[in-house]
Amino acid sequence: MCAHIVLAEDDAKQAELVRRYLERERHTVVVVGDGAVALDLVRRHPPDLLVLDVMLPGVDGLEICRTLRAESDLPVLMLTARSTEDDLLAGLDLGADDYVTKPFSPRELMARIRTLLRRAAPARPGNGVARVGSLSVDPMRHEVTVDGRPIDCTPGEFRLLELMAAQPDRVFTRGQLLEHLHGFDRFITQRAIDVHVMNLRKKIEAQPRRPARLLTVYGVGYKLTAGADAP
């Protein structure tokens, strides 16, 4: 898959290394070293993927991610020298689809980028709408509704709902959900899924602190159920 990718990275040597690897896989790459310029560019000419460094001059990567998530489902992979769990979770909480810490293996980065691009590709014909009570997930249109009301989901949140809605009442372990969502990173396994679930509950539950749809099965994982919608 050849894609148009914006690489927002102010470290010239790092940017050149990543650019060469991306172009080796036949992607078209635009490198930007300033956060404000990067934000303006992706708004005017949305790419297939944004590879986004956290520590950018002008506007930092976290603020760029926050702004874009309020406007679009553009896939975002964040790069950072920060390696604490709180920093990683902050990026996911803002809607980043994946998070790679420096120093990283260029081959691993390329593998993650291929995974994100596959997920963002248009759904194949024949993927039907999954309904769980009054919640529906439409893979073809990349839409989620609850009681007919559209729900704005990040790509990662949509992937979780799409998987669980296809098999309502099945209990998924955090490991299974992470494998579906990320496929590579084990450093943030448990907490990453918990953050996505917490954010989804705020969007699909009438009372997020007392969920009726997206339930915790203690000691195992999570399941999606019709809840209060069930007859």
Side-chain angles (χ1 to χ4, degrees):
M1 178 186 298
C2 299
H4 171 47
I5 297 174
V6 170
L7 170 61
E9 168 63 75
D10 66 325
D11 183 321
K13 290 184 178 179
Q14 189 82 76
E16 177 63 15
L17 174 65
V18 175
R19 182 189 65 77
R20 281 188 292 172
Y21 270 84
L22 287 169
E23 290 183 345
R24 189 178 299 171
E25 299 202 3
R26 306 186 69 180
H27 299 306
T28 300
V29 185
V30 177
V31 178
V32 184
D34 179 87
V37 175
L39 180 58
D40 180 64
L41 175 65
V42 299
R43 279 171 153 173
R44 289 187 293 108
H45 304 289
D48 297 306
L49 174 70
L50 172 62
V51 180
L52 177 64
D53 184 39
V54 170
M55 303 298 288
L56 287 171
V59 181
D60 70 34
L62 293 177
E63 183 59 33
I64 291 173
C65 189
R66 179 185 294 109
T67 301
L68 291 176
R69 272 298 164 262
E71 302 173 354
S72 74
D73 290 333
L74 171 69
V76 176
L77 185 150
M78 301 196 80
L79 304 176
T80 182
R82 300 173 176 176
S83 59
T84 69
E85 187 179 37
D86 286 344
D87 289 327
L88 298 177
L89 293 173
L92 292 174
D93 195 33
L94 291 174
D97 299 284
D98 206 350
Y99 214 115
V100 179
T101 57
K102 301 176 182 179
F104 52 81
S105 159
R107 293 179 62 188
E108 178 188 5
L109 178 63
M110 293 305 107
R112 291 182 182 233
I113 286 172
R114 286 193 294 270
T115 297
L116 287 180
L117 290 173
R118 284 196 300 268
R119 292 174 189 155
R124 294 189 297 265
N127 287 356
V129 178
R131 293 183 173 84
V132 185
S134 62
L135 181 146
S136 68
V137 180
D138 187 338
M140 289 289 289
R141 293 183 172 84
H142 206 274
E143 293 177 349
V144 176
T145 62
V146 173
D147 297 320
R149 172 175 55 90
I151 302 298
D152 184 22
C153 292
T154 68
E157 292 165 0
F158 184 88
R159 288 277 296 176
L160 285 185
L161 280 181
E162 182 183 20
L163 174 67
M164 300 178 79
Q167 301 179 70
D169 296 312
R170 172 183 166 178
V171 179
F172 291 88
T173 67
R174 288 175 176 83
Q176 289 169 332
L177 294 174
L178 186 76
E179 185 68 23
H180 181 73
L181 189 62
H182 293 292
F184 296 97
D185 198 347
R186 295 296 181 269
F187 177 68
I188 53 172
T189 300
Q190 302 296 324
R191 291 289 303 280
I193 296 301
D194 293 341
V195 169
H196 283 303
V197 168
M198 178 182 67
N199 290 337
L200 278 170
R201 282 173 172 165
K202 293 176 182 177
K203 298 176 179 182
I204 69 172
E205 299 282 4
Q207 300 182 63
R209 294 187 179 182
R210 299 179 61 187
R213 290 187 171 92
L214 186 46
L215 305 181
T216 300
V217 180
Y218 292 99
V220 184
Y222 299 103
K223 68 176 180 178
L224 187 68
T225 179
D229 298 324

